[in-house]
Amino acid sequence: MITQQGDVLFHLEKIPEGKFSKIKTNVIQEGEATGHAHRLHDGEYEFIQDTKTKERYLRVVKDSVVRHEEHKPITLPPGDYRIGIVREYDHFDEEVRAVVD
Amino acid sequence: MFYGNIEWDISWAGFYDFILNELFEERIGEFPKFIEYLEAMKHVHVFIPYKDIVFISDRPIEINLNPQGRLHADLKPAFQYSDRYSLFYLNGVRVGKEIVQTSSDKLPAELILKEKNAEVRREIVRKIGTERLCIDLKAECIDKMDDYELLILDLKDGRKRPYLKMKNPSIDTIHIEGVHPDCKTVAQALAFRNGTPTYVKPVQLT
């Protein structure tokens, strides 16, 4: 199951075994050009990163809201989510990269 | 033909200049040619020495770089000498004057069809923008799903480039992004975009 706000994807899936570090911010993704950001508000959550794979996860304990200047808010119900960023293909550089707004 | 660029000499000349001035100041007079050369470095940029003659150029009056330190300037030369001899660069790629000096909204998309150099083509795309490129070159829609369209851009170079046209559901704007060349349907394009093996429709999308 996927929840999507703009370029950020929340994949509802079990967090794998591993070593994690806490991410001490409510900013999930910040736009380089615009300065706009996907931010967590309210609710109760734990934002963590796998120290080996660098994959980021969100453990939502109580309904949490994600807000962004250009998108309607989304509510994440309790559960474990892997954070993904959408990709694009540059046909002239011939490379895949994360979309940067 | 040997030619020199003063920028290359600054490292070694600076080294000896420091030694001479800081450690052997009293012996400066023994090296008149070196002192003369240091003075010339302040004014000369490139030199081409022959047996009886040396061609020199003065230093450029303007050098523009992008944040990555590559020669770059839009609508003006990246590199210019006092006699107006100029070089035009976009993100470190040497391009024609007309590409730089024409504003992006007036630059014809068809220019890319004539350009053979891949790096120059990339800079033209960067300047024109993917959206206008797809619209002006009439990218063909090969699949539709919900608010998405899969467009194929054919630049007549033997490659078909797929782009996904989509609507931001929150603010009603349209934008276009490149997707992997293997994508033949909107579902495949969305799966590529989301990094999933197959397309999974989001339960919430804003």
Side-chain angles (χ1 to χ4, degrees):
Chain A
M1 196 171 85
I2 294 176
T3 301
Q4 182 171 2
Q5 186 184 57
D7 305 335
V8 179
L9 303 158
F10 300 88
H11 301 267
L12 183 69
E13 59 186 47
K14 202 177 163 212
I15 299 175
E17 295 288 318
K19 273 184 79 177
F20 297 91
S21 60
K22 279 196 177 183
I23 301 175
K24 291 172 188 165
T25 175
N26 68 335
V27 176
I28 296 167
Q29 188 73 10
E30 192 165 15
E32 281 180 12
T34 59
H36 294 165
H38 300 266
R39 294 174 202 273
L40 281 156
H41 292 266
D42 315 321
E44 195 179 323
Y45 57 84
E46 197 181 9
F47 193 15
I48 55 175
Q49 184 170 38
D50 189 312
T51 54
K52 195 173 174 186
T53 65
K54 304 295 175 199
E55 203 77 72
R56 295 178 304 157
Y57 296 91
L58 199 57
R59 178 161 282 154
V60 176
V61 182
K62 280 185 189 166
D63 280 8
S64 299
V65 178
V66 183
R67 297 182 194 280
H68 184 274
E69 289 83 348
E70 287 187 348
H71 298 278
K72 288 176 184 158
I74 54 165
T75 301
L76 296 173
D80 291 344
Y81 299 87
R82 176 171 59 83
I83 311 274
I85 305 296
V86 298
R87 310 182 296 176
E88 66 179 330
Y89 189 85
D90 188 318
H91 289 287
F92 297 90
D93 278 340
E94 295 184 35
E95 64 177 22
V96 177
R97 60 175 171 234
V99 169
V100 178
D101 63 10
Chain B
M1 180 180 72
F2 170 79
Y3 76 100
N5 183 321
I6 292 295
E7 313 296 339
W8 302 338
D9 291 351
I10 280 176
S11 55
W12 70 260
F15 174 79
Y16 289 109
D17 184 35
F18 177 83
I19 301 283
L20 201 56
N21 276 286
E22 298 300 321
L23 304 178
F24 303 101
E25 202 180 347
E26 70 285 357
R27 296 185 61 186
I28 285 178
E30 294 175 37
F31 304 94
K33 284 208 180 295
F34 180 64
I35 300 303
E36 206 176 317
Y37 183 67
L38 286 179
E39 191 56 33
M41 286 177 86
K42 293 177 188 169
H43 309 285
V44 176
H45 187 225
V46 177
F47 61 92
I48 305 169
Y50 286 89
K51 193 180 173 195
D52 297 315
I53 189 168
V54 178
F55 292 94
I56 61 170
S57 79
D58 61 2
R59 298 182 71 80
I61 56 167
E62 192 170 344
I63 300 175
N64 294 296
L65 307 173
N66 68 6
Q68 287 73 43
R70 297 185 183 126
L71 282 170
H72 172 85
D74 195 18
L75 303 174
K76 61 180 185 178
F79 202 90
Q80 191 174 48
Y81 289 100
S82 58
D83 65 354
R84 302 291 165 200
Y85 175 76
S86 306
L87 297 173
F88 295 86
Y89 281 83
L90 290 174
N91 298 297
V93 178
R94 191 167 176 186
V95 297
K97 181 181 176 178
E98 67 287 353
I99 294 173
V100 169
Q101 293 203 313
T102 309
S103 62
S104 59
D105 58 318
K106 292 198 173 66
L107 202 61
E110 291 73 19
L111 202 62
I112 200 161
L113 301 175
K114 298 174 198 158
E115 179 55 55
K116 297 279 183 279
N117 183 289
E119 287 189 320
V120 176
R121 285 156 70 101
R122 188 189 63 203
E123 292 311 315
I124 295 171
V125 173
R126 210 183 284 204
K127 182 157 176 172
I128 291 178
T130 309
E131 273 90 346
R132 189 156 77 78
L133 199 69
C134 285
I135 293 163
D136 287 9
L137 297 181
K138 297 180 176 49
E140 182 194 0
C141 173
I142 60 162
D143 191 33
K144 284 186 184 185
M145 189 175 84
D146 302 330
D147 282 336
Y148 297 97
E149 287 181 25
L150 186 66
L151 308 176
I152 295 290
L153 185 61
D154 185 358
L155 300 180
K156 317 289 180 206
D157 59 355
R159 292 173 54 192
K160 307 274 173 134
R161 297 170 170 87
Y163 286 87
L164 188 64
K165 182 179 172 186
M166 65 201 97
K167 191 162 104 176
N168 177 329
S170 300
I171 55 170
D172 234 24
T173 53
I174 300 282
H175 71 280
I176 293 172
E177 283 169 16
V179 292
H180 196 275
D182 292 342
C183 297
K184 306 282 184 238
T185 64
V186 167
Q188 287 174 354
L190 285 167
F192 162 79
R193 188 170 189 261
N194 294 352
T196 53
T198 55
Y199 174 56
V200 180
K201 191 168 186 168
V203 288
Q204 287 185 76
L205 171 64
T206 68

